[in-house]
Amino acid sequence: MLLKIAFPMRKKWYLIVILFFSSFLGWTQNWERSLSKENWNVQKFSDNLWSKAHVPGTIHTDLFLNHQIQDPFYGSNEKQLQWIEEQYWVYQTKFVISKKEILPQNKELIFYGLDTDALVYVNDSLVLEANNMFRTWRIPIQKLIRQGSNTLRIEFESSSLKAKKTAALSPFVLPGDEKVYVRKAPYQFGWDWGPRFVTAGIWKNVVLRFWNAAQLESVSYSQEKLNDKVAQLKIKTTVKCYKPGVYSLVINHKKQIVSLKKGIQIVEIPYQINNPKKWWPNGLGAPNLYTFSVQIHQKKKLLDEKKLQIGLRTIELVQEKDSIGKSFYFKVNGRKVFMKGANYIPPESFMPKMTYKKYENLIETAVKSNMNMLRVWGGGVYEDDIFYTLCDQKGILVWQDFMFACALFPGDDAFVSNVKEEVKDQVVRLQNHPCIALWCGNNEVDEGWNNWGWQKQYNYSKKDSTTIWNNYKRLFEKEIPAVLDSLVSKENNRYWPSSPSIGWGKKESLTQGDSHYWGVWWGMEPLENYSKKVGRFMSEYGFQGMPDYKTFQTFAKPTEMNLASEAVKAHQKHPTGYETIQTYMERDYKIPTAFEDYIYVSQLLQARGFKLAIEAHRSAMPYCMGSLYWQLNDCWPVTSWSSTDYYGRWKAAQYQVKRSFESKLIVIKGVENTDKSGLNSIKVQIINDGLIAEKGTLTLSIIRFNGTEFWKTSKTINVKSNAVTNAVELSNSEIPDAKIWKDCLLHAVFINSKGEKTTTEYYFLSPKDLIFQKPNITYKFIDKNHLELSTNTLAKDVFIQGKGIELEDNFIDLLPNEKRILVFKGKKSVLKIKSLNDL
């Protein structure tokens, strides 16, 4: 009929017909509308005063932006803000539904994140009782909304009070306090590096979705075959159909006609890629990605579309019995890969504050530091899509914990059912990312039960112990893996129930599974024990370092720059953190008196620990095949185990990690006499993670700090690929007399056939026992990206600062009479240079 009218008409009628069809297409297609940018308001449940609110957001950030509380991070303000978590809060907005929006037969309200216990009302009708921060909530509201003005109201109950009430009803106390009863980010309740800010709010986007005939619920894939010639895939599309009939699914212009019934159904379509490019982790090749457009059409009309980005790769977690225990390593594309990386915690106490730029900087830090894996720790949050997409693009593998840490959890049906839906939501969201290497049930729950004395501490009866442990096994050994089995293709379903598998105090923890070694720090064992306590995969270990002085200035006054001030103590969450740093510092360094110098030396101490640990792990390859230190980042400005602080400033440890994770690394080890009277020998190893073996010259020289060369030798070395090469062992007769150890070092240089240089230094004594001279350090800017430094005598741990300048290396050792070229970004400026010699 329309064609009959339109065909003979003049030009203006063509315009009317086009507009009509445009309108028709508009309401037949599916679309979403964000409600996050509507005018939101918030109030305390018992008040009548409304204030402006932000969505996504949290109650703490809203109160701060409305000038109703002080900066939560400043001084000891955290203590004065604990009342917020005990209140009930109401968020409300009004939104207008247009004539176009009222026409679709299906209208959904979707919350991608509600934090946490909430009642949701649409036009005063209760439509949802939410109780999980990690779930996506979809509510059909076609019968509740109307054309014109509508009201959306969310009432947030105090999660901490609700959890305490639930805990009081339990026949036994569960380790972990009230947080175990609520599906909410555990770290919000406080950790030994983070503050207690138990938030509430609409922490992710909220949208209205409109659709008619059918919509795409989710898209995933399975990799049936992968080699250099072909990749055979199955694209799996979950479709929700409202109007039964014939539809077409289109994948990158490849069409398949399907007949759909009413309800949810899965359609699988084969797809082949010829001469595929594989996805490789950082340092081993390009992280090649393929993008798919998956569309559903009806009668040539596009109804819905989803994007799918994948990387073609194989990942295996290999655990095989051997003469020592059982291996634990990852194979990527058939190749053993030593995993180099860190544990990652939420980068904000208030996650809606996160920006794309901050995510980008964090992942770029991992890439620059030669990492290939991050472990998303189970006491935080499942990260934003941006995080995983950046990891895909940069070749950073992800060890993904589910959000359970350092506690035990209820086992009732309601709790377990809630968790299963949470796991389903997160796995559906994340499973297509090529970066996902492992799904892990929890952090340190198995270890806590078996090693931390919980059973004795809480005086459990045999019956209670049995019930609690059966609840654990139900959740982490049955229900979570069952959800994974139902959703994830076989080649991507790698599950590990608990990290670590065995506690660090037991011998078996170093012969099988993954290890969390905390003898250094928690056990007060010497840093040198890192070289003795090496497991098959070191998934946690660490040491604290204070943040940059500029970071202290963000939360403390000049008069508070000391360890005894309330502001500084409030930003150290470990109960004996500063005391532990002091004890270790006394072992290896002379204690500085100035606060800024103390910060500097604490960073050197942390870097020294990381160097010893990483070198021990890498030199034990293939026995040990992973080194993930605790931790990459912070959620607020604090003294912690992080290698970069809250503002992204690199500590000395981050620069050391970058050097210690280089693809090629020289490791020098002193072997003591059995009676510990001195060194029996010195071993030099060259570690090569590269795919290609190398030949080159290794030169060793013993240099006095004043520049005098005491001894020198060179040797041609064949360096194996993806392996450790034992290059040289110096005998007792070649080692200098202990009388000169205080002012000499062993310098090693390996130059391969391409002229590429790898260097390191070895000191015979700890820093406090070395005798330094006052250095004359000079510098000059060669060009807009290169800086040259030199010194007349050894300058140890040279720290370079300049306004607006970013160095690719820092906290370096400058050898006497050496001209060292450093790459930098930013503007040339006057540099402030500090070395350990100066102290």
Side-chain angles (χ1 to χ4, degrees):
M1 178 178 172
L2 288 172
L3 289 176
K4 287 180 181 178
I5 297 171
F7 188 75
M9 293 296 168
R10 290 179 296 180
K11 194 171 182 179
K12 64 179 181 179
W13 279 105
Y14 283 105
L15 181 60
I16 293 171
V17 172
I18 291 168
L19 290 172
F20 184 90
F21 271 109
S22 297
S23 175
F24 181 76
L25 286 171
W27 68 259
T28 56
Q29 292 178 356
N30 306 341
W31 76 95
E32 287 186 357
R33 169 188 162 192
S34 175
L35 294 180
S36 297
K37 300 308 176 187
E38 300 290 334
N39 291 320
W40 285 89
N41 292 294
V42 64
Q43 69 171 9
K44 198 190 301 182
F45 191 80
S46 57
D47 289 351
N48 292 318
L49 177 65
W50 289 98
S51 300
K52 183 176 174 58
H54 298 76
V55 174
T58 72
I59 185 57
H60 290 75
T61 50
D62 282 333
L63 292 172
F64 177 65
L65 291 170
N66 286 309
H67 308 289
Q68 294 169 346
I69 62 170
Q70 298 297 310
D71 181 354
F73 290 172
Y74 193 80
S76 56
N77 286 347
E78 175 198 358
K79 296 177 183 178
Q80 282 73 52
L81 301 180
Q82 295 308 302
W83 62 271
I84 298 171
E85 71 174 71
E86 298 181 350
Q87 308 303 312
Y88 288 38
W89 300 95
V90 182
Y91 281 76
Q92 184 169 292
T93 191
K94 291 186 182 294
F95 60 96
V96 175
I97 292 292
S98 67
K99 183 177 180 180
K100 172 188 171 183
E101 292 170 328
I102 206 67
L103 291 175
Q105 290 162 313
N106 297 288
K107 293 173 274 290
E108 295 176 326
L109 175 63
I110 305 175
F111 290 97
Y112 288 102
L114 284 173
D115 181 13
T116 294
D117 295 283
L119 301 177
V120 177
Y121 295 86
V122 174
N123 294 331
D124 296 325
S125 294
L126 179 64
V127 297
L128 173 67
E129 296 183 35
N131 62 348
N132 192 319
M133 180 179 177
F134 306 123
R135 287 177 60 179
T136 296
W137 304 97
R138 298 174 179 268
I139 312 137
I141 57 169
Q142 53 265 22
K143 296 180 181 179
L144 297 172
I145 61 172
R146 52 187 175 254
Q147 187 175 337
S149 181
N150 295 263
T151 301
L152 176 58
R153 177 184 175 92
I154 302 101
E155 298 177 358
F156 288 96
E157 184 177 357
S158 166
S159 293
S160 59
L161 292 182
K162 180 180 179 181
K164 288 174 182 176
K165 290 175 185 176
T166 306
L169 298 175
S170 175
F172 41 72
V173 176
L174 288 175
D177 303 317
E178 76 272 17
K179 64 178 175 285
V180 305
Y181 292 96
V182 59
R183 290 311 298 146
K184 183 174 176 60
Y187 82 109
Q188 292 184 355
F189 293 82
W191 223 267
D192 54 9
W193 39 258
R196 182 179 176 112
F197 291 126
V198 184
T199 62
I202 307 166
W203 79 290
K204 289 192 174 185
N205 199 18
V206 52
V207 302
L208 292 174
R209 181 165 176 82
F210 306 91
W211 63 284
N212 275 298
Q215 71 171 346
L216 301 178
E217 293 279 288
S218 65
V219 177
S220 62
Y221 79 102
S222 61
Q223 188 174 275
E224 306 294 307
K225 184 178 181 180
L226 176 63
N227 55 43
D228 292 337
K229 294 182 178 180
V230 67
Q232 293 178 349
L233 312 174
K234 275 187 182 176
I235 308 296
K236 187 169 82 171
T237 305
T238 303
V239 183
K240 188 173 185 179
C241 181
Y242 183 74
K243 293 181 179 179
V246 176
Y247 294 80
S248 58
L249 281 172
V250 181
I251 302 175
N252 285 7
H253 308 296
K254 179 181 179 180
K255 182 188 293 186
Q256 179 161 318
I257 305 300
V258 293
S259 181
L260 298 178
K261 301 175 183 179
K262 188 171 184 177
I264 295 177
Q265 50 234 280
I266 295 172
V267 181
E268 290 187 343
I269 299 176
Y271 197 98
Q272 182 168 305
I273 299 173
N274 295 321
N275 303 313
K277 294 181 179 179
K278 293 178 181 176
W279 184 95
W280 286 96
N282 182 38
L284 296 179
N288 298 295
L289 296 169
Y290 288 86
T291 301
F292 297 87
S293 166
V294 182
Q295 300 176 339
I296 185 167
H297 296 251
Q298 187 183 44
K299 297 179 182 179
K300 297 184 180 180
K301 298 182 183 71
L302 172 64
L303 300 182
D304 208 355
E305 180 180 22
K306 284 190 178 293
K307 297 291 186 181
L308 174 66
Q309 191 172 66
I310 68 171
L312 302 174
R313 83 289 184 268
T314 61
I315 301 178
E316 304 167 66
L317 174 60
V318 181
Q319 297 186 79
E320 297 173 338
K321 289 185 178 179
D322 53 30
S323 60
I324 304 166
K326 186 187 285 187
S327 67
F328 190 104
Y329 66 88
F330 291 90
K331 286 175 78 173
V332 182
N333 297 328
R335 183 179 184 275
K336 287 184 179 181
V337 179
F338 188 98
M339 293 302 164
K340 302 179 289 189
N343 286 260
Y344 172 96
I345 67 168
E348 286 282 356
S349 289
F350 311 112
M351 283 302 293
K353 288 177 61 180
M354 272 302 289
T355 63
Y356 180 88
K357 185 65 177 175
K358 188 164 183 177
Y359 277 122
E360 193 175 45
N361 289 341
L362 281 165
I363 302 305
E364 193 59 35
T365 289
V367 173
K368 286 180 179 178
S369 300
N370 303 301
M371 298 182 186
N372 55 24
M373 178 175 273
L374 292 175
R375 175 179 174 236
V376 178
W377 169 73
V381 298
Y382 304 96
E383 261 301 349
D384 191 273
D385 292 339
I386 294 169
F387 171 86
Y388 301 98
T389 298
L390 286 169
C391 288
D392 292 343
Q393 294 170 353
K394 300 295 185 179
I396 301 297
L397 290 160
V398 173
W399 170 316
Q400 179 65 57
D401 282 5
F402 291 101
M403 292 302 116
F404 301 90
C406 306
L408 283 164
F409 300 87
D412 59 277
D413 290 344
F415 183 87
V416 172
S417 176
N418 194 1
V419 169
K420 287 169 66 176
E421 291 302 314
E422 166 193 325
V423 171
K424 179 180 177 182
D425 283 354
Q426 296 300 332
V427 171
V428 166
R429 181 173 71 95
L430 301 178
Q431 63 178 323
N432 297 319
H433 288 281
C435 65
I436 298 292
L438 185 70
W439 306 96
C440 182
N442 66 73
N443 173 78
E444 296 184 345
V445 180
D446 182 290
E447 176 177 358
W449 179 255
N450 288 296
N451 289 345
W452 294 355
W454 282 343
Q455 297 176 65
K456 183 178 180 181
Q457 178 184 349
Y458 294 99
N459 195 27
Y460 293 135
S461 66
K462 185 176 181 181
K463 179 183 176 183
D464 289 345
S465 289
T466 301
T467 299
I468 291 168
W469 191 241
N470 284 341
N471 288 343
Y472 171 90
K473 290 193 292 185
R474 178 188 178 188
L475 194 58
F476 298 110
E477 297 178 8
K478 179 183 176 184
E479 302 290 2
I480 290 178
V483 174
L484 281 165
D485 289 341
S486 70
L487 295 172
V488 180
S489 57
K490 186 177 180 181
E491 78 276 3
N492 281 327
N493 192 359
R494 295 165 296 278
Y495 178 70
W496 188 237
S498 186
S499 177
S501 49
I502 303 171
W504 63 265
K506 296 187 177 181
K507 180 182 177 181
E508 294 80 11
S509 70
L510 300 179
T511 62
Q512 63 188 56
D514 69 315
S515 301
H516 292 193
Y517 171 61
W518 285 104
V520 173
W521 185 267
W522 284 99
M524 300 301 291
E525 296 173 6
L527 293 178
E528 288 72 20
N529 272 21
Y530 277 132
S531 63
K532 301 174 184 177
K533 302 295 178 70
V534 178
R536 311 308 294 263
F537 192 104
M538 304 302 292
S539 52
E540 259 197 43
Y541 61 91
F543 199 91
Q544 281 198 357
M546 297 166 74
D548 191 277
Y549 188 77
K550 297 186 188 74
T551 298
F552 277 92
Q553 290 175 317
T554 66
F555 62 78
K557 300 173 185 176
T559 55
E560 296 174 318
M561 294 297 184
N562 61 80
L563 297 180
S565 77
E566 286 302 311
V568 171
K569 287 194 293 185
H571 289 74
Q572 163 63 275
K573 290 301 180 181
H574 187 281
T576 59
Y578 286 130
E579 292 89 337
T580 302
I581 290 172
Q582 176 80 12
T583 299
Y584 276 95
M585 195 182 290
E586 288 171 352
R587 294 176 185 177
D588 283 339
Y589 292 88
K590 294 174 181 177
I591 308 299
T593 54
F595 187 65
E596 194 168 353
D597 291 339
Y598 195 92
I599 292 171
Y600 163 72
V601 175
S602 88
Q603 290 196 15
L604 299 184
L605 176 64
Q606 182 190 30
R608 177 174 167 81
F610 280 17
K611 180 180 190 293
L612 289 169
I614 294 170
E615 290 186 356
H617 303 159
R618 293 189 67 189
S619 63
M621 186 171 70
Y623 177 83
C624 176
M625 287 298 292
S627 183
L628 310 180
Y629 66 86
W630 184 269
Q631 63 207 64
L632 176 67
N633 59 308
D634 282 325
C635 68
W636 76 318
V638 66
T639 294
S640 79
W641 295 264
S642 70
S643 52
T644 64
D645 70 25
Y646 173 70
Y647 298 102
R649 298 183 177 110
W650 284 29
K651 300 179 185 178
Q654 193 67 58
Y655 292 99
Q656 182 58 57
V657 163
K658 180 182 178 182
R659 293 189 286 266
S660 294
F661 278 158
E662 286 279 4
S663 180
K664 208 157 45 260
L665 177 72
I666 302 174
V667 175
I668 302 176
K669 298 178 180 178
V671 182
E672 289 186 342
N673 292 318
T674 53
D675 61 0
K676 297 185 178 182
S677 59
L679 292 178
N680 180 59
S681 63
I682 292 177
K683 293 182 178 180
V684 182
Q685 298 172 306
I686 301 177
I687 300 161
N688 178 22
D689 287 339
L691 299 170
I692 301 171
E694 296 185 1
K695 186 175 182 178
T697 301
L698 175 67
T699 300
L700 301 175
S701 54
I702 295 174
I703 303 171
R704 301 293 289 266
F705 291 173
N706 63 8
T708 304
E709 192 171 83
F710 182 79
W711 173 89
K712 187 175 184 178
T713 186
S714 294
K715 181 181 180 181
T716 300
I717 303 292
N718 293 311
V719 177
K720 295 176 282 188
S721 65
N722 197 30
V724 179
T725 299
N726 293 316
V728 172
E729 184 167 2
L730 302 180
S731 65
N732 184 273
S733 61
E734 296 172 289
I735 299 171
D737 189 278
K739 293 178 182 178
I740 67 166
W741 285 4
K742 290 185 177 183
D743 74 337
C744 74
L745 60 90
L746 174 61
H747 183 53
V749 182
F750 176 75
I751 302 176
N752 66 11
S753 56
K754 295 180 182 179
E756 296 167 335
K757 183 188 290 187
T758 305
T759 69
T760 196
E761 290 80 42
Y762 172 82
Y763 295 90
F764 295 90
L765 299 172
S766 65
K768 75 174 182 180
D769 295 321
L770 300 175
I771 298 177
F772 299 118
Q773 302 299 319
K774 182 72 175 176
N776 180 25
I777 300 173
T778 60
Y779 70 89
K780 65 178 179 179
F781 291 97
I782 299 174
D783 55 38
K784 64 179 182 179
N785 293 118
H786 295 87
L787 167 70
E788 181 185 279
L789 293 120
S790 61
T791 177
N792 61 326
T793 183
L794 172 78
K796 184 148 180 53
D797 299 312
V798 175
F799 177 34
I800 308 154
Q801 295 173 287
K803 187 176 182 180
I805 192 169
E806 180 184 328
L807 291 157
E808 289 198 3
D809 204 0
N810 212 332
F811 296 91
I812 58 173
D813 289 358
L814 274 180
L815 299 185
N817 306 315
E818 172 192 30
K819 290 184 178 180
R820 181 76 171 269
I821 308 297
L822 297 180
V823 179
F824 74 93
K825 292 180 182 179
K827 296 181 180 180
K828 300 176 184 178
S829 62
V830 176
L831 300 182
K832 179 182 176 182
I833 298 177
K834 176 188 294 187
S835 72
L836 193 61
N837 305 45
D838 302 322
L839 308 185

